[in-house]
Amino acid sequence: MGSYLSKLNLKNKKRGDNFIMKKLTRSQFIQVSIMLFGLFFGAGNLIFPPLLGNQAGSATFLALLSFSITAVVFPVIGAIVVGKTDGLSNLAQRVGPKFSLVFTTAIYLSIGPGLGIPRAGSVPFEMAIAPLLPQSFNMNLARLVYTFVFFAVALWVCLKPNKLVKRVGKYLTPALLLMILFMFVRLMFLDKNVAAPVGDYGKSPVLKGFLSGYDTMDAVAALNFGFVIALAIRRFGVTDKKEVTKYTIKAGVFAGLVLFAVYAMLSSIGMNSSVLLAGAENGAEILTKTCQYAFGNFGFFLLAAIFTLACLTTCVGLISSGGEYFATLFKEKLSYRTWVYIWTFFSFVVANFGLNNLLAFSVPVLTLIYPVALVLIVMGASHDFVRYGKFSYLTGAFFSVGLPFVQMLRTTFSVSLPVLTELENNLPFAESGLSWLVPTFVGVLIVSLLEKVFLANKTYGQVKERA
């Protein structure tokens, strides 16, 4: 991605020196920030908060705060860190070049055509369009037509990266936000019946909320979107790296605040109907029934539009970021536009004919790479303060990949490894899928201290020799 940035900077410099220190206007900044929100906010973000409110009931606010740590804070920090390091590849390079290649490629493939993009096309159809059609209708044909139009629009948006901010940040996402706000305001006039927390929310709303946000996988998506935002800022003529970083941070915070506000609205919908819709299986069911009660048949069309726009903006971000990455990875032997065509067509086919099979493969891969993504985000965000050495990054990657791998073998494939499986299963938080957490923290802490002691002794020795 370095070559792409060099070309972009050179192009801007040729336009005049005044572009080097150019600043974003208020309108441009808001568009970039709203675009980042739109990239994050997909179908999962739409249906998880209502289910949280439904099951957490009177403990919704507490659960929402912990949910926001993994569903808002980590994704925003991830986007900022990736934007600051000029791409995920550069961040992962701190572990090593081979790790960077494998990890970055796995991120783009799994969250892109391997899961995120095909699902973005099929989920709104299954949740919002299919219920509107008569049972006698050919669902396969309807899905084919819907996804064809969906991916055609996504392709049209992605083929003009210079217009990405305008199309997503100025039109698509604001329309989505207005519809969500309209739905929320109307639903707030319904009778409020709040139940006591149930299930895991009754036992520990903080832990359950944290893990529910973890399930959104937005921290992984942030590793894709951070570079998209940095590029968008640069395309406005802001070439100074400090200015790009400053705007990326501000845009991330703004997008995070909007995310939290929308999550609060959606979770309150679930909370206020937690007695009426006790035992609801998912957030889509909650939104469908509450909207039908409040709007009648119009509620189905409103939800269909909300689901479609939410998934479309996320899909656009995944396609464009993947196109940029693979065009650079293969040194533009295939152009950005070619990769956009490839990813869009592949995702369209998978969304109609092979999504379930692909999910069976992609979900374990995402489960494997999510912990190390979180570790890289935390270490990348604190790097300027702590100055981690290479062995610290290697240690963090070792534990946050190795232990989830053992866990994945045990839980997904029922495969046990001698000694390792039992050891992993007995670690703190293993029952919650977080067996990697404590070993990674302790390992990075110890290795970082050892590195600093070694560096201090080496520096002292060099000074003594000179004296």
Side-chain angles (χ1 to χ4, degrees):
M1 290 185 182
S3 61
Y4 185 89
L5 285 176
S6 299
K7 290 180 182 179
L8 189 60
N9 288 338
L10 181 61
K11 183 178 179 181
N12 286 330
K13 286 179 181 179
K14 287 181 178 179
R15 294 176 182 171
D17 291 340
N18 61 311
F19 275 87
I20 296 176
M21 293 303 293
K22 186 179 185 302
K23 297 184 181 296
L24 296 181
T25 65
R26 180 178 297 179
S27 174
Q28 290 170 339
F29 169 73
I30 292 175
Q31 288 178 42
V32 169
S33 303
I34 293 299
M35 183 180 79
L36 179 56
F37 163 82
L39 299 184
F40 278 131
F41 196 80
N45 310 79
L46 191 58
I47 63 178
F48 283 134
L51 185 62
L52 178 150
N54 176 271
Q55 296 181 345
S58 56
T60 293
F61 182 72
L62 190 60
L64 178 63
L65 289 179
S66 60
F67 173 86
S68 298
I69 295 174
T70 42
V72 177
V73 177
F74 274 114
V76 167
I77 293 176
I80 291 171
V81 169
V82 170
K84 186 178 179 181
T85 56
D86 289 334
L88 175 58
S89 298
N90 293 331
L91 176 61
Q93 280 279 359
R94 294 174 179 176
V95 179
K98 292 182 179 179
F99 173 85
S100 176
L101 177 63
V102 173
F103 173 71
T104 306
T105 303
I107 286 280
Y108 277 104
L109 287 177
S110 58
I111 201 71
L115 175 61
I117 303 173
R119 190 174 66 174
S122 63
V123 164
F125 174 82
E126 300 295 342
M127 291 188 171
I129 304 298
L132 296 175
L133 302 175
Q135 293 183 351
S136 59
F137 205 89
N138 188 324
M139 290 297 171
N140 290 330
L141 177 61
R143 184 187 296 106
L144 187 69
V145 172
Y146 175 84
T147 52
F148 178 82
V149 175
F150 179 92
F151 284 113
V153 174
L155 178 66
W156 172 73
V157 175
C158 292
L159 284 177
K160 295 288 186 180
N162 289 333
K163 296 183 179 180
L164 197 62
V165 174
K166 186 175 183 179
R167 289 173 175 174
V168 176
K170 191 173 182 179
Y171 298 118
L172 295 177
T173 305
L176 169 65
L177 285 170
L178 286 174
M179 286 189 287
I180 292 175
L181 181 61
F182 173 68
M183 175 182 69
F184 169 73
V185 171
R186 176 65 185 90
L187 294 179
M188 284 301 97
F189 285 99
L190 299 179
D191 293 336
K192 298 174 178 59
N193 296 290
V194 181
V198 297
D200 290 335
Y201 284 105
K203 299 175 184 176
S204 177
V206 173
L207 179 60
K208 179 59 179 175
F210 180 89
L211 293 176
S212 295
Y214 182 97
D215 289 340
T216 64
M217 294 290 177
D218 271 350
V220 173
L223 300 179
N224 295 26
F225 299 151
F227 188 64
V228 175
I229 294 302
L231 279 181
I233 295 169
R234 290 176 185 273
R235 287 192 179 108
F236 279 120
V238 181
T239 56
D240 183 74
K241 188 172 182 179
K242 289 183 178 179
E243 287 294 304
V244 173
T245 300
K246 182 182 76 174
Y247 282 123
T248 303
I249 293 172
K250 288 183 177 180
V253 172
F254 189 99
L257 291 174
V258 177
L259 263 177
F260 180 79
V262 173
Y263 287 152
M265 286 190 285
L266 293 172
S267 60
S268 67
I269 292 172
M271 176 186 70
N272 292 334
S273 60
S274 54
V275 172
L276 180 66
L277 300 177
E281 295 183 1
N282 55 63
E285 177 186 348
I286 296 168
L287 291 176
T288 300
K289 290 183 177 179
T290 52
C291 280
Q292 183 183 19
Y293 183 71
F295 297 103
N297 290 335
F298 172 74
F300 290 115
F301 295 99
L302 177 64
L303 268 185
I306 290 175
F307 269 102
T308 298
L309 277 180
C311 290
L312 181 63
T313 53
T314 300
C315 182
V316 165
L318 293 172
I319 292 174
S320 59
S321 61
E324 300 280 11
Y325 171 72
F326 280 97
T328 304
L329 179 65
F330 292 101
K331 300 178 180 178
E332 299 191 16
K333 291 180 180 179
L334 291 177
S335 67
Y336 164 81
R337 290 175 65 90
T338 303
W339 281 109
V340 167
Y341 277 113
I342 292 172
W343 277 41
T344 305
F345 177 74
F346 177 83
S347 300
F348 165 70
V349 173
V350 171
N352 285 278
F353 304 109
L355 184 59
N356 290 335
N357 292 331
L358 198 59
L359 287 175
F361 171 78
S362 296
V363 171
V365 173
L366 277 172
T367 303
L368 181 63
I369 61 180
Y370 200 88
V372 69
L374 293 179
V375 171
L376 284 178
I377 288 172
V378 172
M379 295 184 72
S382 57
H383 181 84
D384 291 343
F385 304 100
V386 182
R387 295 291 177 184
Y388 300 103
K390 183 175 182 178
F391 286 105
S392 295
Y393 279 100
L394 282 170
T395 301
F398 175 78
F399 284 112
S400 59
V401 172
L403 290 172
F405 178 72
V406 175
Q407 179 197 359
M408 181 187 69
L409 291 178
R410 172 174 59 86
T411 57
T412 305
F413 301 104
S414 300
V415 174
S416 296
L417 300 177
V419 181
L420 292 178
T421 298
E422 185 176 356
L423 175 65
E424 182 275 330
N425 196 27
N426 289 318
L427 288 170
F429 307 116
E431 70 280 359
S432 302
L434 299 172
S435 60
W436 56 273
L437 190 59
V438 174
T440 302
F441 175 78
V442 174
V444 170
L445 179 63
I446 292 173
V447 173
S448 295
L449 291 174
L450 290 175
E451 281 183 319
K452 293 189 182 304
V453 170
F454 175 78
L455 181 62
N457 289 337
K458 184 178 179 181
T459 303
Y460 176 77
Q462 290 174 346
V463 172
K464 192 173 182 181
E465 286 179 5
R466 291 173 186 169

